[in-house]
Amino acid sequence: MEQLVGVVVRDVIKGYAAGSQELRVLDGISLRCQPGEFISLLGPSGAGKTTLLRLMAGLDRPDHGEVVYIDGSSKRVDASEVRVGMVFQEPRLLPWASVAKNVSYGLQGRAKAMNRHEQERAVRDALELFGLGAFSTYLPHQISGGMKQRAALARALVGEPDLLLLDEPLGSLDIKNRLAIQEVLSQFAGTRTCIMVTHSIEEAVYLSDRIYVLSDRPALVKSEIHVPLPRPRDRVAPGFSTYARQVIRALGVTPAG
Amino acid sequence: MVPLCIVVLWQGLSSLGVFDTSMIPSPLSVLAAGASAMRSGELTRHVGISVLRVVRGFLAAAIAGVTLGLALGWIPLLRTLIGPLLHFLRQIPPVAWIPVFIMWFGIGESSKISVVTYAAFFPILLNTETAAAQISGNYLELGRAFQFTSFQVLTRIIVPGSLGPVFTGLRLGLSNSWRALVAAEMLASAGGLGYMIVLSRELVQPDVMFLGIIVLGLLGYAVDAGALRLQKRLAPWSLSLRT
Ligand SMILES: Nc1ncnc2c1ncn2[C@@H]1O[C@H](COP(=O)(O)OP(=O)(O)OP(=O)(O)O)[C@@H](O)[C@H]1O
Ligand SMILES: [Mg+2]
């Protein structure tokens, strides 16, 4: 029985030392992801999205404010009980381990309840899901950038995480793979909590229950867009473009000329 | 190809009498010396003695250097504590220790093996340490994100991540071993290739002298090539471009 976990980010301030000065990357940002919700974060480059995701993964601490995990009844869940599946902005595969080994490193706590055979099976299933079945014995430098990114996704998902954090996971995929992986991710919507950074409006609308549009650095929530479209979604349905237009408007893009 | 040309040229010049054969013997006479030393078993004996010393000294250095290097790279406090001492010791040429080791361990095998260990130890230690310390923070962060245990961090990230530079250190250590050993054998030994070379000078056998030098080069070359092959097998990623 897996739990659904949400994340609450409250008044978070985070800066990095830049010489003698401080580079304020987050300046009092608050947002929330309900258990089981699929959230997208959209915002300009350098806004602080990766920083925010690392805080939500517990890889860094805010200078001020808090990041807490919650369950379905909004009660706090201790970080040690939350299994996070993370896809970093770059694939970050260990160069010395085969694709299958890399993916198996995502099993985390799930590995304890499995024997070797079951673990291998789980890894194989994850590889198949992302079209990497034939490449399990390859080393990372022997596969393409898009394949690495898919391997990173397989690694994040194989452990059946309570919380999935994706930092531009489909950035270097070709269109066909991009659509295919979006399909895989859309199946997780509702069954798994997911927070995804993306630069694609279409992808955000296709997958998300809610989209946060962030400002320039320091990142603040500029706008929050609910996408109550039924699933599975249809990219050419009239409702779809309505939400895409809302996002464009929120981004503050004005037509050139 | 080039080495072959040099040998041919060398032989040619020798045959023409350009070289004084008491200074530079011809390749053929070196070959003949090699054949006769093989037949008498002298060459095999000296090579055997030297190789055994290198193997024993180098293995000790490899075990100590890799273990301590990993510990130093992983535990910054340890680095602060004993780093300066190690860098002080590293600066001392191994040969300078030969009299000391003889005083401590006597003229037998131990003193020679100790010099070999000393010479091989530092490149292994330093390469391992730097590698372990410089493992990309990104990989360690990955380990934290996926809740690796400390043991898993060691076996999945630190050890394999250090393997490439460790191999470099081992190869450097090997060639240092040879140098230090030959010096030790020249100073105080009754066997081994270094001794063979010194003895041949006393016996005025320049061909044996050159034989010793060439065998040293060949052995070193073969051992390094073997180590490189091993690296290619065990750590192929360390020889290809990193991603
Ligand atoms: N470890 C760090 N040390 C110092 N500065 C950092 C660090 N990480 C990020 N920054 C700075 O913080 C700012 C925000 O970085 P962040 O990676 O969070 O942006 P981002 O929104 O993910 O951008 P992108 O869309 O390009 O990935 C940048 O100006 C970056 O230079
Ligand atoms: Mg980023």
Side-chain angles (χ1 to χ4, degrees):
Chain A
M1 181 63 207
E2 30 191 87
Q3 52 181 351
L4 283 178
V5 185
V7 189
V8 179
V9 173
R10 200 173 288 134
D11 303 323
V12 162
I13 296 177
K14 177 75 192 171
Y16 293 110
S20 56
Q21 290 192 323
E22 187 210 15
L23 179 74
R24 200 41 79 96
V25 177
L26 301 170
D27 200 4
I29 192 172
S30 296
L31 49 83
R32 187 183 181 93
C33 177
Q34 297 294 352
E37 204 176 15
F38 199 120
I39 294 253
S40 286
L41 304 176
L42 245 82
S45 189
K49 303 179 298 296
T50 297
T51 304
L52 187 58
L53 225 53
R54 290 183 67 248
L55 291 172
M56 293 196 280
L59 294 171
D60 207 347
R61 287 173 188 286
D63 299 338
H64 182 270
E66 58 176 5
V67 175
V68 293
Y69 300 126
I70 52 165
D71 66 12
S73 47
S74 288
K75 276 215 297 288
R76 276 188 187 221
V77 179
D78 195 77
S80 63
E81 288 164 30
V82 177
R83 207 182 296 159
V84 175
M86 177 115 186
V87 172
F88 296 91
Q89 195 164 353
E90 78 292 346
R92 211 175 285 192
L93 302 176
L94 298 174
W96 42 83
S98 69
V99 171
K101 260 260 142 34
N102 266 291
V103 170
S104 76
Y105 292 166
L107 281 168
Q108 304 190 56
R110 200 185 161 204
K112 288 193 201 92
M114 301 169 119
N115 63 33
R116 177 178 289 272
H117 185 73
E118 290 165 328
Q119 291 182 18
E120 277 167 11
R121 165 151 217 121
V123 169
R124 209 173 330 123
D125 289 348
L127 287 171
E128 293 292 345
L129 187 62
F130 290 98
L132 291 168
F135 299 93
S136 60
T137 60
Y138 284 51
L139 285 173
H141 74 264
Q142 296 168 322
I143 61 175
S144 75
M147 290 159 85
K148 281 183 209 158
Q149 220 166 18
R150 283 183 274 147
L153 274 160
R155 177 176 64 190
L157 279 162
V158 74
E160 298 190 335
D162 310 308
L163 173 64
L164 202 52
L165 299 174
L166 310 172
D167 202 348
E168 296 182 40
L170 312 183
S172 56
L173 296 186
D174 61 69
I175 299 199
K176 186 159 154 276
N177 269 308
R178 209 176 162 107
L179 293 178
I181 304 303
Q182 282 178 6
E183 224 44 64
V184 173
L185 289 180
S186 78
Q187 273 151 37
F188 289 112
T191 67
R192 217 169 276 294
T193 314
C194 190
I195 302 175
M196 175 177 76
V197 171
T198 178
H199 288 301
S200 159
I201 294 168
E202 191 241 16
E203 187 169 288
V205 175
Y206 186 69
L207 291 172
S208 317
D209 299 308
R210 215 143 44 83
I211 301 169
Y212 281 110
V213 176
L214 304 179
S215 70
D216 235 322
R217 190 185 65 232
L220 288 169
V221 175
K222 244 166 92 173
S223 158
E224 182 190 340
I225 294 149
H226 287 261
V227 187
L229 289 170
R231 296 175 190 272
R233 290 181 178 169
D234 180 359
R235 289 183 182 80
V236 290
F240 196 90
S241 52
T242 313
Y243 293 104
R245 267 198 299 277
Q246 271 190 42
V247 176
I248 294 171
R249 224 172 294 131
L251 280 165
V253 186
T254 44
Chain B
M1 201 59 218
V2 174
L4 195 69
C5 293
I6 292 175
V7 171
V8 169
L9 191 69
W10 176 13
Q11 180 61 48
L13 291 172
S14 301
S15 309
L16 290 171
V18 176
F19 295 142
D20 176 355
T21 49
S22 67
M23 292 289 168
I24 305 177
S26 75
L28 283 176
S29 70
V30 172
L31 210 63
S36 97
M38 281 289 265
R39 243 175 291 122
S40 69
E42 277 296 282
L43 183 62
T44 332
R45 188 174 76 84
H46 289 304
V47 168
I49 291 172
S50 290
V51 167
L52 193 63
R53 283 171 180 162
V54 164
V55 166
R56 291 165 74 182
F58 173 77
L59 277 184
I63 293 167
V66 170
T67 316
L68 191 60
L70 284 177
L72 283 172
W74 204 19
I75 309 165
L77 179 66
L78 203 60
R79 201 151 58 224
T80 333
L81 283 178
I82 64 170
L85 172 67
L86 292 168
H87 283 281
F88 163 76
L89 290 173
R90 179 170 80 97
Q91 295 303 328
I92 303 167
V95 188
W97 285 99
I98 292 174
V100 181
F101 289 161
I102 291 174
M103 182 172 75
W104 286 349
F105 309 127
I107 195 83
E109 288 304 288
S110 320
S111 55
K112 267 94 121 183
I113 293 170
S114 307
V115 176
V116 170
T117 304
Y118 194 96
F121 177 69
F122 288 100
I124 300 173
L125 175 87
L126 292 175
N127 276 281
T128 310
E129 178 200 331
T130 325
Q134 285 179 350
I135 293 270
S136 162
N138 281 349
Y139 294 146
L140 296 175
E141 187 183 76
L142 172 81
R144 278 197 292 141
F146 286 95
Q147 298 180 350
F148 288 10
T149 63
S150 298
F151 182 71
Q152 287 170 337
V153 170
L154 188 71
T155 56
R156 294 176 178 179
I157 300 176
I158 309 264
V159 170
S162 313
L163 211 50
V166 166
F167 262 106
T168 309
L170 290 173
R171 284 166 56 202
L172 278 172
L174 259 179
S175 70
N176 276 13
S177 296
W178 281 112
R179 288 180 218 198
L181 175 72
V182 171
E185 287 175 345
M186 288 180 152
L187 283 175
S189 179
L193 282 166
Y195 169 73
M196 188 180 99
I197 293 170
V198 171
L199 184 70
S200 65
R201 191 184 62 80
E202 282 163 21
L203 302 176
V204 201
Q205 294 174 323
D207 40 3
V208 177
M209 209 187 273
F210 271 76
L211 174 69
I213 287 169
I214 289 168
V215 168
L216 275 175
L218 287 177
L219 274 176
Y221 185 87
V223 167
D224 190 59
L228 192 63
R229 277 183 69 149
L230 200 66
Q231 177 171 7
K232 226 173 243 169
R233 241 193 121 92
L234 295 180
W237 63 88
S238 67
L239 293 169
S240 60
L241 279 177
R242 295 214 150 209
T243 42

mmCIF file with all atom_site columns, all heavy atoms in Angstrom, chain A residues 89-106:
data_model
loop_
_atom_site.group_PDB
_atom_site.id
_atom_site.type_symbol
_atom_site.label_atom_id
_atom_site.label_alt_id
_atom_site.label_comp_id
_atom_site.label_asym_id
_atom_site.label_entity_id
_atom_site.label_seq_id
_atom_site.pdbx_PDB_ins_code
_atom_site.Cartn_x
_atom_site.Cartn_y
_atom_site.Cartn_z
_atom_site.occupancy
_atom_site.B_iso_or_equiv
_atom_site.pdbx_formal_charge
_atom_site.auth_seq_id
_atom_site.auth_comp_id
_atom_site.auth_asym_id
_atom_site.auth_atom_id
_atom_site.pdbx_PDB_model_num
ATOM 1   N N   . GLN A 1 89  ? 17.891 17.736 -14.033 1.00 0.00 ? 89  GLN A N   1
ATOM 2   C CA  . GLN A 1 89  ? 17.805 18.442 -15.316 1.00 0.00 ? 89  GLN A CA  1
ATOM 3   C C   . GLN A 1 89  ? 18.717 17.791 -16.364 1.00 0.00 ? 89  GLN A C   1
ATOM 4   O O   . GLN A 1 89  ? 18.419 17.804 -17.542 1.00 0.00 ? 89  GLN A O   1
ATOM 5   C CB  . GLN A 1 89  ? 18.172 19.912 -15.111 1.00 0.00 ? 89  GLN A CB  1
ATOM 6   C CG  . GLN A 1 89  ? 17.778 20.786 -16.280 1.00 0.00 ? 89  GLN A CG  1
ATOM 7   C CD  . GLN A 1 89  ? 17.781 22.256 -15.908 1.00 0.00 ? 89  GLN A CD  1
ATOM 8   O OE1 . GLN A 1 89  ? 17.951 22.619 -14.752 1.00 0.00 ? 89  GLN A OE1 1
ATOM 9   N NE2 . GLN A 1 89  ? 17.583 23.102 -16.898 1.00 0.00 ? 89  GLN A NE2 1
ATOM 10  N N   . GLU A 1 90  ? 19.844 17.237 -15.899 1.00 0.00 ? 90  GLU A N   1
ATOM 11  C CA  . GLU A 1 90  ? 20.665 16.431 -16.810 1.00 0.00 ? 90  GLU A CA  1
ATOM 12  C C   . GLU A 1 90  ? 20.500 14.983 -16.357 1.00 0.00 ? 90  GLU A C   1
ATOM 13  O O   . GLU A 1 90  ? 20.189 14.740 -15.198 1.00 0.00 ? 90  GLU A O   1
ATOM 14  C CB  . GLU A 1 90  ? 22.120 16.903 -16.785 1.00 0.00 ? 90  GLU A CB  1
ATOM 15  C CG  . GLU A 1 90  ? 22.967 16.461 -15.612 1.00 0.00 ? 90  GLU A CG  1
ATOM 16  C CD  . GLU A 1 90  ? 22.558 17.068 -14.282 1.00 0.00 ? 90  GLU A CD  1
ATOM 17  O OE1 . GLU A 1 90  ? 21.790 18.041 -14.257 1.00 0.00 ? 90  GLU A OE1 1
ATOM 18  O OE2 . GLU A 1 90  ? 22.992 16.531 -13.238 1.00 0.00 ? 90  GLU A OE2 1
ATOM 19  N N   . PRO A 1 91  ? 20.700 14.006 -17.243 1.00 0.00 ? 91  PRO A N   1
ATOM 20  C CA  . PRO A 1 91  ? 20.307 12.633 -16.879 1.00 0.00 ? 91  PRO A CA  1
ATOM 21  C C   . PRO A 1 91  ? 21.009 12.093 -15.631 1.00 0.00 ? 91  PRO A C   1
ATOM 22  O O   . PRO A 1 91  ? 20.435 11.346 -14.872 1.00 0.00 ? 91  PRO A O   1
ATOM 23  C CB  . PRO A 1 91  ? 20.703 11.816 -18.111 1.00 0.00 ? 91  PRO A CB  1
ATOM 24  C CG  . PRO A 1 91  ? 20.787 12.798 -19.227 1.00 0.00 ? 91  PRO A CG  1
ATOM 25  C CD  . PRO A 1 91  ? 21.186 14.105 -18.622 1.00 0.00 ? 91  PRO A CD  1
ATOM 26  N N   . ARG A 1 92  ? 22.237 12.502 -15.447 1.00 0.00 ? 92  ARG A N   1
ATOM 27  C CA  . ARG A 1 92  ? 22.985 12.116 -14.251 1.00 0.00 ? 92  ARG A CA  1
ATOM 28  C C   . ARG A 1 92  ? 23.003 10.605 -14.045 1.00 0.00 ? 92  ARG A C   1
ATOM 29  O O   . ARG A 1 92  ? 22.687 10.105 -12.964 1.00 0.00 ? 92  ARG A O   1
ATOM 30  C CB  . ARG A 1 92  ? 22.413 12.818 -13.022 1.00 0.00 ? 92  ARG A CB  1
ATOM 31  C CG  . ARG A 1 92  ? 23.482 13.080 -11.972 1.00 0.00 ? 92  ARG A CG  1
ATOM 32  C CD  . ARG A 1 92  ? 22.966 13.878 -10.811 1.00 0.00 ? 92  ARG A CD  1
ATOM 33  N NE  . ARG A 1 92  ? 22.782 15.288 -11.123 1.00 0.00 ? 92  ARG A NE  1
ATOM 34  C CZ  . ARG A 1 92  ? 22.560 16.233 -10.217 1.00 0.00 ? 92  ARG A CZ  1
ATOM 35  N NH1 . ARG A 1 92  ? 22.495 15.907 -8.948  1.00 0.00 ? 92  ARG A NH1 1
ATOM 36  N NH2 . ARG A 1 92  ? 22.401 17.485 -10.577 1.00 0.00 ? 92  ARG A NH2 1
ATOM 37  N N   . LEU A 1 93  ? 23.342 9.892  -15.094 1.00 0.00 ? 93  LEU A N   1
ATOM 38  C CA  . LEU A 1 93  ? 23.545 8.455  -14.947 1.00 0.00 ? 93  LEU A CA  1
ATOM 39  C C   . LEU A 1 93  ? 24.982 8.246  -14.503 1.00 0.00 ? 93  LEU A C   1
ATOM 40  O O   . LEU A 1 93  ? 25.866 8.999  -14.887 1.00 0.00 ? 93  LEU A O   1
ATOM 41  C CB  . LEU A 1 93  ? 23.309 7.746  -16.285 1.00 0.00 ? 93  LEU A CB  1
ATOM 42  C CG  . LEU A 1 93  ? 21.931 7.944  -16.903 1.00 0.00 ? 93  LEU A CG  1
ATOM 43  C CD1 . LEU A 1 93  ? 21.865 7.271  -18.259 1.00 0.00 ? 93  LEU A CD1 1
ATOM 44  C CD2 . LEU A 1 93  ? 20.841 7.418  -15.993 1.00 0.00 ? 93  LEU A CD2 1
ATOM 45  N N   . LEU A 1 94  ? 25.212 7.231  -13.704 1.00 0.00 ? 94  LEU A N   1
ATOM 46  C CA  . LEU A 1 94  ? 26.580 6.938  -13.294 1.00 0.00 ? 94  LEU A CA  1
ATOM 47  C C   . LEU A 1 94  ? 27.304 6.301  -14.474 1.00 0.00 ? 94  LEU A C   1
ATOM 48  O O   . LEU A 1 94  ? 26.866 5.265  -14.978 1.00 0.00 ? 94  LEU A O   1
ATOM 49  C CB  . LEU A 1 94  ? 26.572 6.003  -12.078 1.00 0.00 ? 94  LEU A CB  1
ATOM 50  C CG  . LEU A 1 94  ? 25.897 6.609  -10.843 1.00 0.00 ? 94  LEU A CG  1
ATOM 51  C CD1 . LEU A 1 94  ? 25.781 5.595  -9.720  1.00 0.00 ? 94  LEU A CD1 1
ATOM 52  C CD2 . LEU A 1 94  ? 26.657 7.840  -10.363 1.00 0.00 ? 94  LEU A CD2 1
ATOM 53  N N   . PRO A 1 95  ? 28.395 6.916  -14.941 1.00 0.00 ? 95  PRO A N   1
ATOM 54  C CA  . PRO A 1 95  ? 29.012 6.485  -16.202 1.00 0.00 ? 95  PRO A CA  1
ATOM 55  C C   . PRO A 1 95  ? 29.585 5.077  -16.147 1.00 0.00 ? 95  PRO A C   1
ATOM 56  O O   . PRO A 1 95  ? 29.826 4.472  -17.180 1.00 0.00 ? 95  PRO A O   1
ATOM 57  C CB  . PRO A 1 95  ? 30.123 7.511  -16.446 1.00 0.00 ? 95  PRO A CB  1
ATOM 58  C CG  . PRO A 1 95  ? 30.253 8.303  -15.212 1.00 0.00 ? 95  PRO A CG  1
ATOM 59  C CD  . PRO A 1 95  ? 29.043 8.094  -14.367 1.00 0.00 ? 95  PRO A CD  1
ATOM 60  N N   . TRP A 1 96  ? 29.833 4.566  -14.936 1.00 0.00 ? 96  TRP A N   1
ATOM 61  C CA  . TRP A 1 96  ? 30.468 3.252  -14.816 1.00 0.00 ? 96  TRP A CA  1
ATOM 62  C C   . TRP A 1 96  ? 29.453 2.129  -14.679 1.00 0.00 ? 96  TRP A C   1
ATOM 63  O O   . TRP A 1 96  ? 29.841 0.968  -14.585 1.00 0.00 ? 96  TRP A O   1
ATOM 64  C CB  . TRP A 1 96  ? 31.401 3.239  -13.621 1.00 0.00 ? 96  TRP A CB  1
ATOM 65  C CG  . TRP A 1 96  ? 30.822 3.921  -12.427 1.00 0.00 ? 96  TRP A CG  1
ATOM 66  C CD1 . TRP A 1 96  ? 29.960 3.380  -11.524 1.00 0.00 ? 96  TRP A CD1 1
ATOM 67  C CD2 . TRP A 1 96  ? 31.034 5.268  -12.020 1.00 0.00 ? 96  TRP A CD2 1
ATOM 68  N NE1 . TRP A 1 96  ? 29.623 4.312  -10.585 1.00 0.00 ? 96  TRP A NE1 1
ATOM 69  C CE2 . TRP A 1 96  ? 30.267 5.477  -10.850 1.00 0.00 ? 96  TRP A CE2 1
ATOM 70  C CE3 . TRP A 1 96  ? 31.802 6.331  -12.533 1.00 0.00 ? 96  TRP A CE3 1
ATOM 71  C CZ2 . TRP A 1 96  ? 30.240 6.710  -10.190 1.00 0.00 ? 96  TRP A CZ2 1
ATOM 72  C CZ3 . TRP A 1 96  ? 31.767 7.529  -11.861 1.00 0.00 ? 96  TRP A CZ3 1
ATOM 73  C CH2 . TRP A 1 96  ? 31.003 7.727  -10.709 1.00 0.00 ? 96  TRP A CH2 1
ATOM 74  N N   . ALA A 1 97  ? 28.177 2.456  -14.616 1.00 0.00 ? 97  ALA A N   1
ATOM 75  C CA  . ALA A 1 97  ? 27.180 1.400  -14.426 1.00 0.00 ? 97  ALA A CA  1
ATOM 76  C C   . ALA A 1 97  ? 26.324 1.263  -15.679 1.00 0.00 ? 97  ALA A C   1
ATOM 77  O O   . ALA A 1 97  ? 26.022 2.254  -16.339 1.00 0.00 ? 97  ALA A O   1
ATOM 78  C CB  . ALA A 1 97  ? 26.308 1.723  -13.227 1.00 0.00 ? 97  ALA A CB  1
ATOM 79  N N   . SER A 1 98  ? 25.954 0.043  -16.002 1.00 0.00 ? 98  SER A N   1
ATOM 80  C CA  . SER A 1 98  ? 25.115 -0.210 -17.168 1.00 0.00 ? 98  SER A CA  1
ATOM 81  C C   . SER A 1 98  ? 23.771 0.493  -16.988 1.00 0.00 ? 98  SER A C   1
ATOM 82  O O   . SER A 1 98  ? 23.412 0.911  -15.884 1.00 0.00 ? 98  SER A O   1
ATOM 83  C CB  . SER A 1 98  ? 24.879 -1.706 -17.326 1.00 0.00 ? 98  SER A CB  1
ATOM 84  O OG  . SER A 1 98  ? 24.057 -2.163 -16.276 1.00 0.00 ? 98  SER A OG  1
ATOM 85  N N   . VAL A 1 99  ? 23.047 0.606  -18.087 1.00 0.00 ? 99  VAL A N   1
ATOM 86  C CA  . VAL A 1 99  ? 21.734 1.245  -18.036 1.00 0.00 ? 99  VAL A CA  1
ATOM 87  C C   . VAL A 1 99  ? 20.847 0.531  -17.009 1.00 0.00 ? 99  VAL A C   1
ATOM 88  O O   . VAL A 1 99  ? 20.198 1.171  -16.174 1.00 0.00 ? 99  VAL A O   1
ATOM 89  C CB  . VAL A 1 99  ? 21.091 1.220  -19.435 1.00 0.00 ? 99  VAL A CB  1
ATOM 90  C CG1 . VAL A 1 99  ? 19.638 1.673  -19.373 1.00 0.00 ? 99  VAL A CG1 1
ATOM 91  C CG2 . VAL A 1 99  ? 21.877 2.112  -20.388 1.00 0.00 ? 99  VAL A CG2 1
ATOM 92  N N   . ALA A 1 100 ? 20.867 -0.806 -17.027 1.00 0.00 ? 100 ALA A N   1
ATOM 93  C CA  . ALA A 1 100 ? 20.025 -1.557 -16.089 1.00 0.00 ? 100 ALA A CA  1
ATOM 94  C C   . ALA A 1 100 ? 20.456 -1.308 -14.640 1.00 0.00 ? 100 ALA A C   1
ATOM 95  O O   . ALA A 1 100 ? 19.628 -1.130 -13.753 1.00 0.00 ? 100 ALA A O   1
ATOM 96  C CB  . ALA A 1 100 ? 20.087 -3.044 -16.400 1.00 0.00 ? 100 ALA A CB  1
ATOM 97  N N   . LYS A 1 101 ? 21.760 -1.283 -14.410 1.00 0.00 ? 101 LYS A N   1
ATOM 98  C CA  . LYS A 1 101 ? 22.270 -1.025 -13.052 1.00 0.00 ? 101 LYS A CA  1
ATOM 99  C C   . LYS A 1 101 ? 21.826 0.352  -12.595 1.00 0.00 ? 101 LYS A C   1
ATOM 100 O O   . LYS A 1 101 ? 21.345 0.524  -11.487 1.00 0.00 ? 101 LYS A O   1
ATOM 101 C CB  . LYS A 1 101 ? 23.803 -1.095 -13.048 1.00 0.00 ? 101 LYS A CB  1
ATOM 102 C CG  . LYS A 1 101 ? 24.364 -2.415 -12.523 1.00 0.00 ? 101 LYS A CG  1
ATOM 103 C CD  . LYS A 1 101 ? 24.811 -2.246 -11.091 1.00 0.00 ? 101 LYS A CD  1
ATOM 104 C CE  . LYS A 1 101 ? 24.530 -3.459 -10.208 1.00 0.00 ? 101 LYS A CE  1
ATOM 105 N NZ  . LYS A 1 101 ? 24.615 -4.754 -10.793 1.00 0.00 ? 101 LYS A NZ  1
ATOM 106 N N   . ASN A 1 102 ? 22.010 1.338  -13.486 1.00 0.00 ? 102 ASN A N   1
ATOM 107 C CA  . ASN A 1 102 ? 21.593 2.688  -13.145 1.00 0.00 ? 102 ASN A CA  1
ATOM 108 C C   . ASN A 1 102 ? 20.117 2.722  -12.749 1.00 0.00 ? 102 ASN A C   1
ATOM 109 O O   . ASN A 1 102 ? 19.741 3.358  -11.765 1.00 0.00 ? 102 ASN A O   1
ATOM 110 C CB  . ASN A 1 102 ? 21.839 3.636  -14.320 1.00 0.00 ? 102 ASN A CB  1
ATOM 111 C CG  . ASN A 1 102 ? 23.181 4.335  -14.230 1.00 0.00 ? 102 ASN A CG  1
ATOM 112 O OD1 . ASN A 1 102 ? 23.398 5.176  -13.363 1.00 0.00 ? 102 ASN A OD1 1
ATOM 113 N ND2 . ASN A 1 102 ? 24.095 3.977  -15.114 1.00 0.00 ? 102 ASN A ND2 1
ATOM 114 N N   . VAL A 1 103 ? 19.308 2.049  -13.536 1.00 0.00 ? 103 VAL A N   1
ATOM 115 C CA  . VAL A 1 103 ? 17.874 2.059  -13.241 1.00 0.00 ? 103 VAL A CA  1
ATOM 116 C C   . VAL A 1 103 ? 17.604 1.355  -11.911 1.00 0.00 ? 103 VAL A C   1
ATOM 117 O O   . VAL A 1 103 ? 16.797 1.820  -11.098 1.00 0.00 ? 103 VAL A O   1
ATOM 118 C CB  . VAL A 1 103 ? 17.083 1.413  -14.395 1.00 0.00 ? 103 VAL A CB  1
ATOM 119 C CG1 . VAL A 1 103 ? 15.630 1.205  -14.005 1.00 0.00 ? 103 VAL A CG1 1
ATOM 120 C CG2 . VAL A 1 103 ? 17.178 2.291  -15.643 1.00 0.00 ? 103 VAL A CG2 1
ATOM 121 N N   . SER A 1 104 ? 18.337 0.268  -11.663 1.00 0.00 ? 104 SER A N   1
ATOM 122 C CA  . SER A 1 104 ? 18.102 -0.474 -10.417 1.00 0.00 ? 104 SER A CA  1
ATOM 123 C C   . SER A 1 104 ? 18.431 0.367  -9.188  1.00 0.00 ? 104 SER A C   1
ATOM 124 O O   . SER A 1 104 ? 17.894 0.132  -8.111  1.00 0.00 ? 104 SER A O   1
ATOM 125 C CB  . SER A 1 104 ? 18.919 -1.766 -10.406 1.00 0.00 ? 104 SER A CB  1
ATOM 126 O OG  . SER A 1 104 ? 20.276 -1.482 -10.130 1.00 0.00 ? 104 SER A OG  1
ATOM 127 N N   . TYR A 1 105 ? 19.311 1.353  -9.352  1.00 0.00 ? 105 TYR A N   1
ATOM 128 C CA  . TYR A 1 105 ? 19.651 2.217  -8.220  1.00 0.00 ? 105 TYR A CA  1
ATOM 129 C C   . TYR A 1 105 ? 18.464 3.091  -7.798  1.00 0.00 ? 105 TYR A C   1
ATOM 130 O O   . TYR A 1 105 ? 18.528 3.781  -6.787  1.00 0.00 ? 105 TYR A O   1
ATOM 131 C CB  . TYR A 1 105 ? 20.861 3.105  -8.555  1.00 0.00 ? 105 TYR A CB  1
ATOM 132 C CG  . TYR A 1 105 ? 22.156 2.331  -8.702  1.00 0.00 ? 105 TYR A CG  1
ATOM 133 C CD1 . TYR A 1 105 ? 23.282 2.912  -9.273  1.00 0.00 ? 105 TYR A CD1 1
ATOM 134 C CD2 . TYR A 1 105 ? 22.257 1.009  -8.275  1.00 0.00 ? 105 TYR A CD2 1
ATOM 135 C CE1 . TYR A 1 105 ? 24.465 2.208  -9.416  1.00 0.00 ? 105 TYR A CE1 1
ATOM 136 C CE2 . TYR A 1 105 ? 23.432 0.298  -8.411  1.00 0.00 ? 105 TYR A CE2 1
ATOM 137 C CZ  . TYR A 1 105 ? 24.531 0.897  -8.983  1.00 0.00 ? 105 TYR A CZ  1
ATOM 138 O OH  . TYR A 1 105 ? 25.704 0.194  -9.123  1.00 0.00 ? 105 TYR A OH  1
ATOM 139 N N   . GLY A 1 106 ? 17.413 3.082  -8.605  1.00 0.00 ? 106 GLY A N   1
ATOM 140 C CA  . GLY A 1 106 ? 16.224 3.846  -8.226  1.00 0.00 ? 106 GLY A CA  1
ATOM 141 C C   . GLY A 1 106 ? 15.237 3.048  -7.397  1.00 0.00 ? 106 GLY A C   1
ATOM 142 O O   . GLY A 1 106 ? 14.223 3.574  -6.966  1.00 0.00 ? 106 GLY A O   1
#
